């Protein structure tokens, strides 16, 4: 898979999601389904979106003991999604179990990427609440390196971390980056943001874009602008 724009479909219901997706008549964007929609609508929403021809990033961020994650991943692999994810904080064995569970009998599997540290965790919280004393950037790179060691395909990270992740884990290791805003748009609750063009320059492989597209007056035009800036 090459560079692409993934739309974060952060909607509460299938109805809202399909009303949004129905606006795209000429293209089939790659979509991200998160916990809210998945927990509300169940696996059927994944099948329906897949049947409409979209690629899917199922963003459920698994984190449990290795055996449980392995079995849960085996279930997700049957949904035929394109990317799924977990928390690198679950450790090497959990990540290895996830790869194993995700691998289908024919040897194929969806791409698997790891969340390193959530962007809601800053240095102070990490030190005071989690008692992790290393610099945040070092923790992110260590988690990325662990993900690579366990056989994962990449990480979710800030676009500002993407080039360092490629330096540490190699250019083929995927960086999937949220926190994208247009140059003239509002920042909302995202703290460290970049434009699609800047994310391309830094070397992100996929950008995850929510509100700049979903809340735009013309979402199709906003999506096309993202693709033009990021993919070219
Ligand atoms: O609307 P917005 O463009 O901010 O949406 C970004 C999407 O990426 C949301 O679905 C959000 O949950 C997700 N995300 C994020 N930061 C992370 C991981 C995921 O913004 N570190």
């Amino acid at each position: 898979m090459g560079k692409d724009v993934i739309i974060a479909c952060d909607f509460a219901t299938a109805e809202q999601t399909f009303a949004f997706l129905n606006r795209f008549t000429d293209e089939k964007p790659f979509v991200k389904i998160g916990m809210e929609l998945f927990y509300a609508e169940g696996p059927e929403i994944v099948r329906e979106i897949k049947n409409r021809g979209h690629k899917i990033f199922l963003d459920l961020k698994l984190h449990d003991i290795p055996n449980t994650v392995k079995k849960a991943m085996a279930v997700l692999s049957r949904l035929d999604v394109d990317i799924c994810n977990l928390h690198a904080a679950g450790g090497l064995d959990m990540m290895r179990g996830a790869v194993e569970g995700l691998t289908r009998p024919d040897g194929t599997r969806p791409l698997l990427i790891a969340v390193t540290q959530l962007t809601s965790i800053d240095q102070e919280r990490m030190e005071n609440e989690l008692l992790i004393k290393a610099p945040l950037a070092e923790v992110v790179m260590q988690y990325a390196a662990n993900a690579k060691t366990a056989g994962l395909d990449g990480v979710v990270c800030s676009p500002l971390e993407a080039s360092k992740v490629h330096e540490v884990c190699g250019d083929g290791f995927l960086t999937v980056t949220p926190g994208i805003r247009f140059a003239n748009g509002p920042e909302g609750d995202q703290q460290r943001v970049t434009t699609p063009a800047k994310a391309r320059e830094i070397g992100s492989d996929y950008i995850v874009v929510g509100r700049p597209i979903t809340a735009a007056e013309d979402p199709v035009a906003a999506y096309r602008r993202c693709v033009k800036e990021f993919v070219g």
Side-chain angles (χ1 to χ4, degrees):
M1 287 201 267
K3 280 187 186 290
D4 210 347
V5 173
I6 303 177
I7 304 179
C9 284
D10 294 323
F11 299 108
T13 65
E15 199 185 344
Q16 288 168 7
T17 308
F18 289 124
F20 172 76
L21 291 177
N22 284 343
R23 302 179 72 140
F24 293 83
T25 48
D26 295 342
E27 54 260 287
K28 294 279 179 196
F30 204 135
V31 305
K32 179 172 90 73
I33 299 175
M35 290 185 212
E36 183 187 10
L37 187 59
F38 188 80
Y39 291 154
E41 301 289 351
E44 198 46 38
I45 185 80
V46 177
R47 292 190 195 100
E48 279 181 43
I49 294 177
K50 191 77 197 176
N51 282 341
R52 286 173 169 232
H54 297 270
K55 285 185 178 164
I56 296 178
F57 168 18
L58 188 56
D59 180 19
L60 298 182
K61 299 187 180 71
L62 276 67
H63 189 175
D64 208 315
I65 59 170
N67 187 54
T68 303
V69 168
K70 179 179 163 179
K71 288 180 171 172
M73 284 295 183
V75 176
L76 296 186
S77 81
R78 295 199 286 274
L79 282 178
D80 196 25
V81 298
D82 298 278
I83 306 180
C84 43
N85 64 355
L86 47 64
H87 275 283
L92 278 169
D93 281 351
M94 188 203 79
M95 290 194 273
R96 288 192 181 108
V99 173
E100 227 181 287
L102 208 51
T103 306
R104 306 182 185 101
D106 65 0
T108 63
R109 65 166 172 80
L111 293 172
L112 180 60
I113 60 176
V115 175
T116 53
Q117 277 291 358
L118 292 170
T119 41
S120 50
I121 299 286
D122 57 13
Q123 184 73 40
E124 197 184 325
R125 282 179 210 277
M126 205 179 65
E127 285 187 20
N128 298 339
E129 296 173 21
L130 308 178
L131 298 185
I132 299 172
K133 303 295 182 190
L136 181 59
E138 216 175 281
V139 175
V140 168
M141 294 311 147
Q142 171 71 17
Y143 283 15
N146 284 350
K148 181 159 193 212
T149 301
L152 270 68
D153 305 292
V155 287
V156 182
C157 65
S158 145
L160 306 169
E161 293 159 355
S163 56
K164 182 78 185 160
V165 169
H166 282 142
E167 223 177 282
V168 172
C169 299
D171 281 341
F173 196 66
L174 300 174
T175 53
V176 179
T177 62
I180 304 294
R181 293 295 178 265
F182 289 123
N184 57 347
E187 291 201 359
D189 53 3
Q190 293 277 20
Q191 300 301 322
R192 301 167 69 212
V193 298
T194 48
T195 62
K198 184 80 186 161
R200 170 197 168 113
E201 213 181 291
I202 296 171
S204 296
D205 296 291
Y206 294 90
I207 52 173
V208 175
V209 188
R211 288 159 291 178
I213 295 174
T214 56
E217 216 164 283
D218 184 344
V220 177
Y223 170 73
R224 287 182 183 155
R225 180 178 170 189
C226 264
V227 172
K228 190 154 180 261
E229 277 191 35
F230 181 65
V231 185

